[in-house]
Amino acid sequence: MMILLITAASMVEVSMGNKDMWNWGNYNLTDWWNQYQFNRTQTKPQNVVVGGSQNWQFGFNYTAWAIKNSPFYLNDTLVFKYAAPNATTFPHSVYMFSNYKSFLNCDLTRAKMVANTTQGRGEGFKFLIKRWQPHYFACGERNGIHCKNGLMKFAVLPAIRPFW
Ligand SMILES: *[C@@H]1O[C@H](CO)[C@@H](O)[C@H](O)[C@H]1NC(C)=O
Ligand SMILES: *[C@@H]1O[C@H](CO)[C@@H](O)[C@H](O)[C@H]1NC(C)=O
Ligand SMILES: *[C@@H]1O[C@H](CO)[C@@H](O)[C@H](O)[C@H]1NC(C)=O
Ligand SMILES: *[C@@H]1O[C@H](CO)[C@@H](O)[C@H](O)[C@H]1NC(C)=O
Ligand SMILES: *[C@@H]1O[C@H](CO)[C@@H](O)[C@H](O)[C@H]1NC(C)=O
Ligand SMILES: *[C@@H]1O[C@H](CO)[C@@H](O)[C@H](O)[C@H]1NC(C)=O
Ligand SMILES: [Cu+2]
């Protein structure tokens, strides 16, 4: 294994020193390598602020947002930002439904709270997508009204990043 690695490494070195090796027919390996490295930087896990500059608030269409910003990948982190409630603002939170039907109906009876009304302040609440399964998110406030009327819900089926 070690020998193989060393051989491979020295082959790369030799070819680096030999410009012609970087061009096979019409295929420019320098271009390919640059593209490959660029792709790698694009495929690192990302922190995605839910709602973008709109953060996590009543009345923003998160379904549309999720469609526009998909795909999301395994190991990406969703960041939910919402201020802690005070006398003049409404509280928000983050819940997860275990199935599509509850998500569709905003039925919170068996949903799980993943962030309470104060956890979205400051840098926000971070949710790491680590399971390859559908994730159904919603605000759990006002017995489903934020979810239903406030459009504060969206679904994510994470994809697997093609490069590492
Ligand atoms: C391959 O592409 C690089 C960067 O675009 C360029 O500098 C280089 O001259 C090309 N090599 C050949 C052999 O065409
Ligand atoms: C980089 O990504 C593009 C778009 O996904 C893909 O078509 C291309 O083959 C990739 N290039 C390399 C060198 O991996
Ligand atoms: C929210 O966006 C989705 C997807 O674009 C769309 O189907 C839906 O009608 C929108 N909801 C509202 C209330 O605008
Ligand atoms: C996600 O991260 C973990 C821990 O860093 C790593 O072991 C795993 O391979 C990653 N999964 C994917 C699909 O990138
Ligand atoms: C309540 O919070 C909002 C948004 O964070 C802020 O703009 C407002 O000044 C606060 N009001 C009071 C009474 O603290
Ligand atoms: C929310 O959760 C945090 C962290 O677990 C806890 O410190 C805080 O007391 C909780 N706040 C409320 C309003 O439940
Ligand atoms: Cu809410």
Side-chain angles (χ1 to χ4, degrees):
M1 190 56 188
M2 208 54 203
I3 292 165
L4 256 177
L5 279 177
I6 291 164
T7 311
S10 55
M11 273 173 70
V12 168
E13 254 167 61
V14 167
S15 58
M16 295 264 264
N18 183 350
K19 276 212 147 65
D20 291 343
M21 286 283 290
W22 286 104
N23 214 345
W24 289 347
N26 284 329
Y27 205 73
N28 186 330
L29 278 180
T30 309
D31 281 345
W32 177 85
W33 181 250
N34 290 342
Q35 186 63 50
Y36 179 74
Q37 291 303 326
F38 176 76
N39 280 359
R40 279 176 60 95
T41 66
Q42 297 303 293
T43 55
K44 286 210 186 81
Q46 308 282 319
N47 271 6
V48 186
V49 177
V50 176
S53 60
Q54 297 295 306
N55 295 340
W56 188 230
Q57 59 157 297
F58 192 93
F60 184 75
N61 192 334
Y62 290 93
T63 300
W65 174 85
I67 291 169
K68 206 186 294 168
N69 288 273
S70 62
F72 300 95
Y73 293 98
L74 280 184
N75 283 354
D76 279 353
T77 297
L78 295 172
V79 184
F80 294 84
K81 289 188 169 184
Y82 50 98
N86 62 26
T88 58
T89 59
F90 292 112
H92 301 294
S93 56
V94 183
Y95 279 65
M96 278 180 78
F97 301 108
S98 57
N99 63 72
Y100 181 68
K101 196 164 170 243
S102 310
F103 170 71
L104 209 59
N105 299 325
C106 289
D107 173 7
L108 288 154
T109 47
R110 272 173 302 157
K112 183 171 164 248
M113 184 179 74
V114 289
N116 67 26
T117 56
T118 59
Q119 281 173 287
R121 67 186 168 198
E123 293 295 292
F125 168 72
K126 295 193 171 68
F127 184 93
L128 172 66
I129 303 174
K130 53 184 180 221
R131 286 171 197 274
W132 191 45
Q133 64 180 38
H135 293 66
Y136 304 111
F137 296 98
C139 178
E141 298 311 298
R142 304 295 300 278
N143 197 22
I145 290 177
H146 281 213
C147 172
K148 218 174 289 176
N149 303 1
L151 310 179
M152 298 184 77
K153 64 164 171 174
F154 65 99
V156 166
L157 174 59
I160 297 175
R161 287 190 187 283
F163 311 97
W164 274 99

